[in-house]
Amino acid sequence: MEQFLIVAFAHFLALLSPGPDFFLVARSSVSAGWRVASGACLGIALANGLFIVSAFAGLSILRDGSALFIALQVAGAGYLLYIGTLFVRHAGKTELAMAGEVQAAGGWSRCLGMGFLSGILNPKNALFYASLASMVASSSGAWKTVYAGWMFSIVLVWDLLVAVTIGNRRVLKRFAYALPWLERLSGALLIMLAMALIGHLVAG
């Protein structure tokens, strides 16, 4: 039980650090409401689940320095540039009156796909879960199942909480004047993350 608390606490601390997934959920919730953004939340959780299963199964293909991991980093940098540019280009174009409604056919499914891509193309997720897996390598299969289920659930619940909080109509109306600047800031941060990742790949 002590080991579980340590692993669970480390995992939750990692969730508190804003990254690409956070910005995607926030932007989706602002633009389409939390119900549509829940698709992104589920997609992110599924991507995390895939990394968790891979790490706990002992797969080495996603370890730092492997060809697949480098390819993942390149694809991740490209995706960060894409969504960062998207955020900046569409900043200030959110219709608050439409919040909570599906603005276009397939809005939830589109968010699901974007969420999965955001999670699966984030190389930090692969390294993070690989490090957690090393902490529980000697645990039984049953305990590893508990760990995996807990982590998947917490990722999903946390992202849903972010979506519901940020997508609140009253909160959006109160801070409507600041939303375009927050969207631009989110986009700029994502672009900076992409450039930092590209710099790391070039230097390596």
Side-chain angles (χ1 to χ4, degrees):
M1 180 58 71
E2 181 180 351
Q3 185 185 55
F4 174 81
L5 293 176
I6 293 173
V7 172
F9 184 65
H11 182 243
F12 184 69
L13 284 181
L15 286 179
L16 295 180
S17 176
D21 295 346
F22 174 86
F23 292 122
L24 178 62
V25 170
R27 178 62 171 78
S28 300
S29 188
V30 166
S31 63
W34 74 267
R35 289 179 177 84
V36 175
S38 68
C41 299
L42 179 58
I44 291 166
L46 289 173
N48 276 260
L50 185 58
F51 278 130
I52 292 168
V53 171
S54 299
F56 281 21
L59 300 182
S60 60
I61 55 175
L62 291 178
R63 289 180 182 168
D64 197 8
S66 69
L68 183 57
F69 188 75
I70 293 174
L72 180 66
Q73 288 179 304
V74 173
Y79 186 70
L80 287 177
L81 281 174
Y82 168 70
I83 60 174
T85 303
L86 198 67
F87 284 13
V88 173
R89 283 180 57 193
H90 294 283
K93 297 180 182 178
T94 299
E95 286 290 338
L96 295 183
M98 294 294 290
E101 301 176 15
V102 178
Q103 296 182 348
W108 188 90
S109 299
R110 182 171 180 271
C111 276
L112 175 68
M114 290 186 70
F116 184 80
L117 284 175
S118 178
I120 208 68
L121 294 178
N122 186 350
K124 289 186 177 180
N125 285 342
L127 291 178
F128 175 69
Y129 287 116
S131 65
L132 285 186
S134 66
M135 293 175 60
V136 300
S138 60
S139 300
S140 65
W143 267 111
K144 287 181 179 179
T145 302
V146 171
Y147 286 127
W150 172 265
M151 291 176 190
F152 174 85
S153 301
I154 289 300
V155 169
L156 180 58
V157 170
W158 174 254
D159 285 337
L160 284 172
L161 181 61
V162 170
V164 170
T165 301
I166 294 178
N168 185 282
R169 291 282 298 275
R170 293 180 181 178
V171 173
L172 290 178
K173 288 181 178 179
R174 181 165 296 183
F175 296 101
Y177 68 93
L179 288 178
W181 294 104
L182 291 175
E183 291 176 314
R184 292 187 184 98
L185 177 62
S186 297
L189 288 173
L190 289 172
I191 292 172
M192 288 172 61
L193 283 173
M195 297 307 294
L197 183 53
I198 292 172
H200 171 73
L201 288 170
V202 172

